[in-house]
Amino acid sequence: LINDDTLACLCKIDTNPSTAIYPLPHMYVLKDLVPDLTHFYEQHKSVQPYLINDDITDVEHYQSKEDRSKLDGLYECVLCACCTTSCPSYWWNTDKYLGPAVLLQSYRWLADSRDTMKAERLKFLDDAFKVYRCHTIMNCSKTCPKHLNPGKAIAQIKLEMAASH
C-alpha cells in the first residue's frame, strides 16, 4: 500500500481515491496482485520447517514453560513475505540468500528444545549467502504486519553459528 509493504487485509485504507495497492515488490507477478511465491516456498521447504526428533518412542516430548516461551514471536509468522520483499539483501541475492521470513522460520526450529537436529540445521545454514547476506538493515522488522522481529532471529542464528565453530 502506497509506500509500505504490508497486508492490505490488515491495513486501514484511506477513503482517498488516490490510494494505490500494488503486489509485493521484487516478485514476479502471475496476475493482478498475485505474486509468484514458488521460489520463496522452495526456500522455506529447504530449512525443513518441522520438528525433527530422533527419539522414536511413543512418548510425547514435553517442553518447560521457559523453553516454550523462547518460541514466542517465532511461530506466529504467516509467511506473507512482506519482510522478505522489503529486504534489499534479498533483492540482490534472491537465488542464494534465504531472506528474513525463511530465516525466522529456521530459527523457530533451532530454538525448539524438542528438536534434535540443531547441529545439522546450523550446518545447512553455514555458507556465505544463506544467512550472512543479512546486513541488519531491519526493513524486515519494520514491515512485518504481525510485528515480529526477523532481524533478531537472524542475529540469534549468527550467534549460534559463531558458537558452534
Side-chain angles (χ1 to χ4, degrees):
L1 294 173
I2 312 203
N3 295 324
D4 294 327
D5 293 344
T6 190
L7 297 177
C9 60
L10 296 178
C11 183
K12 182 178 183 196
I13 299 175
D14 293 332
T15 57
N16 183 346
S18 66
T19 298
I21 300 175
Y22 299 100
L24 284 170
H26 307 283
M27 294 276 194
Y28 293 107
V29 176
L30 296 175
K31 185 176 181 181
D32 299 330
L33 297 174
V34 180
D36 183 1
L37 294 173
T38 304
H39 181 65
F40 173 76
Y41 289 128
E42 286 172 2
Q43 288 178 315
H44 180 250
K45 183 180 176 183
S46 75
V47 298
Q48 297 179 313
Y50 43 83
L51 182 68
I52 302 173
N53 191 305
D54 292 334
D55 182 8
I56 55 172
T57 62
D58 290 334
V59 178
E60 289 185 51
H61 302 286
Y62 292 107
Q63 272 185 313
S64 69
K65 289 182 180 183
E66 294 79 29
D67 284 344
R68 170 58 188 80
S69 69
K70 292 176 185 175
L71 304 180
D72 290 340
L74 302 174
Y75 71 88
E76 298 93 342
C77 178
V78 295
L79 296 175
C80 67
C82 286
C83 62
T84 299
T85 58
S86 71
C87 176
S89 296
Y90 192 77
W91 306 339
W92 304 321
N93 301 288
T94 304
D95 56 332
K96 298 176 189 169
Y97 175 55
L98 293 176
V102 171
L103 291 172
L104 177 77
Q105 290 295 301
S106 180
Y107 184 64
R108 182 261 175 266
W109 296 105
L110 286 169
D112 195 315
S113 61
R114 301 167 298 170
D115 194 275
T116 60
M117 298 295 282
K118 185 173 190 169
E120 292 82 355
R121 291 179 189 276
L122 288 171
K123 185 177 180 182
F124 170 76
L125 295 172
D126 194 9
D127 76 12
F129 281 91
K130 289 178 182 164
V131 176
Y132 290 107
R133 287 300 105 186
C134 173
H135 299 293
T136 58
I137 297 167
M138 302 303 284
N139 283 359
C140 56
S141 298
K142 292 178 202 166
T143 61
C144 178
K146 301 283 283 179
H147 307 289
L148 304 178
N149 192 346
K152 182 179 177 184
I154 295 168
Q156 288 300 122
I157 291 172
K158 289 178 180 179
L159 286 172
E160 291 198 17
M161 289 175 78
S164 71
H165 284 112

mmCIF file of all heavy atoms in Angstrom, residues 51 53 55-57 59-63 114:
data_model
loop_
_atom_site.group_PDB
_atom_site.id
_atom_site.type_symbol
_atom_site.label_atom_id
_atom_site.label_comp_id
_atom_site.label_asym_id
_atom_site.label_seq_id
_atom_site.Cartn_x
_atom_site.Cartn_y
_atom_site.Cartn_z
ATOM 1 N N LEU A 51 9.355 -30.195 13.174
ATOM 2 C CA LEU A 51 10.086 -30.813 14.272
ATOM 3 C C LEU A 51 10.734 -32.116 13.815
ATOM 4 O O LEU A 51 10.083 -32.961 13.204
ATOM 5 C CB LEU A 51 9.132 -31.097 15.440
ATOM 6 C CG LEU A 51 9.761 -31.697 16.694
ATOM 7 C CD1 LEU A 51 10.667 -30.685 17.365
ATOM 8 C CD2 LEU A 51 8.680 -32.154 17.655
ATOM 9 N N ASN A 53 12.908 -35.145 15.543
ATOM 10 C CA ASN A 53 13.363 -35.697 16.812
ATOM 11 C C ASN A 53 13.725 -37.157 16.590
ATOM 12 O O ASN A 53 12.892 -37.948 16.158
ATOM 13 C CB ASN A 53 12.271 -35.549 17.873
ATOM 14 C CG ASN A 53 12.781 -35.846 19.255
ATOM 15 O OD1 ASN A 53 13.325 -36.913 19.504
ATOM 16 N ND2 ASN A 53 12.615 -34.894 20.156
ATOM 17 N N ASP A 55 14.310 -39.393 18.748
ATOM 18 C CA ASP A 55 13.712 -40.277 19.750
ATOM 19 C C ASP A 55 12.391 -40.802 19.193
ATOM 20 O O ASP A 55 11.399 -40.086 19.128
ATOM 21 C CB ASP A 55 13.486 -39.513 21.052
ATOM 22 C CG ASP A 55 12.923 -40.394 22.148
ATOM 23 O OD1 ASP A 55 12.843 -41.627 21.950
ATOM 24 O OD2 ASP A 55 12.549 -39.844 23.198
ATOM 25 N N ILE A 56 12.379 -42.053 18.783
ATOM 26 C CA ILE A 56 11.196 -42.609 18.110
ATOM 27 C C ILE A 56 10.265 -43.353 19.062
ATOM 28 O O ILE A 56 9.463 -44.174 18.643
ATOM 29 C CB ILE A 56 11.610 -43.528 16.933
ATOM 30 C CG1 ILE A 56 12.566 -44.609 17.409
ATOM 31 C CG2 ILE A 56 12.191 -42.709 15.810
ATOM 32 C CD1 ILE A 56 12.883 -45.658 16.370
ATOM 33 N N THR A 57 10.360 -43.036 20.339
ATOM 34 C CA THR A 57 9.435 -43.655 21.290
ATOM 35 C C THR A 57 8.051 -43.043 21.113
ATOM 36 O O THR A 57 7.886 -42.011 20.469
ATOM 37 C CB THR A 57 9.914 -43.430 22.739
ATOM 38 O OG1 THR A 57 9.931 -42.039 23.001
ATOM 39 C CG2 THR A 57 11.280 -44.043 22.966
ATOM 40 N N VAL A 59 6.385 -41.678 23.342
ATOM 41 C CA VAL A 59 6.205 -40.723 24.437
ATOM 42 C C VAL A 59 6.182 -39.304 23.866
ATOM 43 O O VAL A 59 6.952 -38.976 22.970
ATOM 44 C CB VAL A 59 7.357 -40.868 25.462
ATOM 45 C CG1 VAL A 59 7.225 -39.867 26.582
ATOM 46 C CG2 VAL A 59 7.411 -42.284 25.992
ATOM 47 N N GLU A 60 5.298 -38.473 24.406
ATOM 48 C CA GLU A 60 5.261 -37.073 23.979
ATOM 49 C C GLU A 60 6.523 -36.366 24.440
ATOM 50 O O GLU A 60 7.094 -36.700 25.470
ATOM 51 C CB GLU A 60 4.032 -36.375 24.573
ATOM 52 C CG GLU A 60 2.734 -36.818 23.959
ATOM 53 C CD GLU A 60 1.575 -36.007 24.495
ATOM 54 O OE1 GLU A 60 1.656 -34.771 24.467
ATOM 55 O OE2 GLU A 60 0.605 -36.628 24.939
ATOM 56 N N HIS A 61 6.938 -35.378 23.688
ATOM 57 C CA HIS A 61 8.131 -34.592 24.005
ATOM 58 C C HIS A 61 7.673 -33.277 24.624
ATOM 59 O O HIS A 61 7.334 -32.330 23.922
ATOM 60 C CB HIS A 61 8.963 -34.352 22.754
ATOM 61 C CG HIS A 61 9.387 -35.617 22.076
ATOM 62 N ND1 HIS A 61 10.371 -36.431 22.577
ATOM 63 C CD2 HIS A 61 8.927 -36.229 20.969
ATOM 64 C CE1 HIS A 61 10.523 -37.480 21.802
ATOM 65 N NE2 HIS A 61 9.652 -37.382 20.812
ATOM 66 N N TYR A 62 7.675 -33.233 25.942
ATOM 67 C CA TYR A 62 7.193 -32.050 26.647
ATOM 68 C C TYR A 62 8.249 -30.953 26.664
ATOM 69 O O TYR A 62 9.438 -31.218 26.590
ATOM 70 C CB TYR A 62 6.817 -32.413 28.087
ATOM 71 C CG TYR A 62 5.609 -33.313 28.170
ATOM 72 C CD1 TYR A 62 5.749 -34.654 28.509
ATOM 73 C CD2 TYR A 62 4.341 -32.817 27.901
ATOM 74 C CE1 TYR A 62 4.646 -35.485 28.577
ATOM 75 C CE2 TYR A 62 3.236 -33.648 27.969
ATOM 76 C CZ TYR A 62 3.392 -34.977 28.312
ATOM 77 O OH TYR A 62 2.297 -35.776 28.377
ATOM 78 N N GLN A 63 7.764 -29.723 26.794
ATOM 79 C CA GLN A 63 8.634 -28.570 26.927
ATOM 80 C C GLN A 63 8.322 -27.881 28.249
ATOM 81 O O GLN A 63 7.164 -27.839 28.667
ATOM 82 C CB GLN A 63 8.350 -27.550 25.822
ATOM 83 C CG GLN A 63 9.111 -27.773 24.575
ATOM 84 C CD GLN A 63 8.863 -26.645 23.595
ATOM 85 O OE1 GLN A 63 7.732 -26.258 23.372
ATOM 86 N NE2 GLN A 63 9.920 -26.130 23.017
ATOM 87 N N ARG A 114 12.780 -29.371 21.741
ATOM 88 C CA ARG A 114 12.425 -30.752 21.405
ATOM 89 C C ARG A 114 13.114 -31.246 20.150
ATOM 90 O O ARG A 114 13.165 -32.435 19.875
ATOM 91 C CB ARG A 114 10.902 -30.873 21.237
ATOM 92 C CG ARG A 114 10.124 -30.469 22.469
ATOM 93 C CD ARG A 114 8.668 -30.296 22.152
ATOM 94 N NE ARG A 114 8.502 -29.216 21.177
ATOM 95 C CZ ARG A 114 7.370 -28.934 20.542
ATOM 96 N NH1 ARG A 114 6.299 -29.660 20.773
ATOM 97 N NH2 ARG A 114 7.304 -27.938 19.694
#
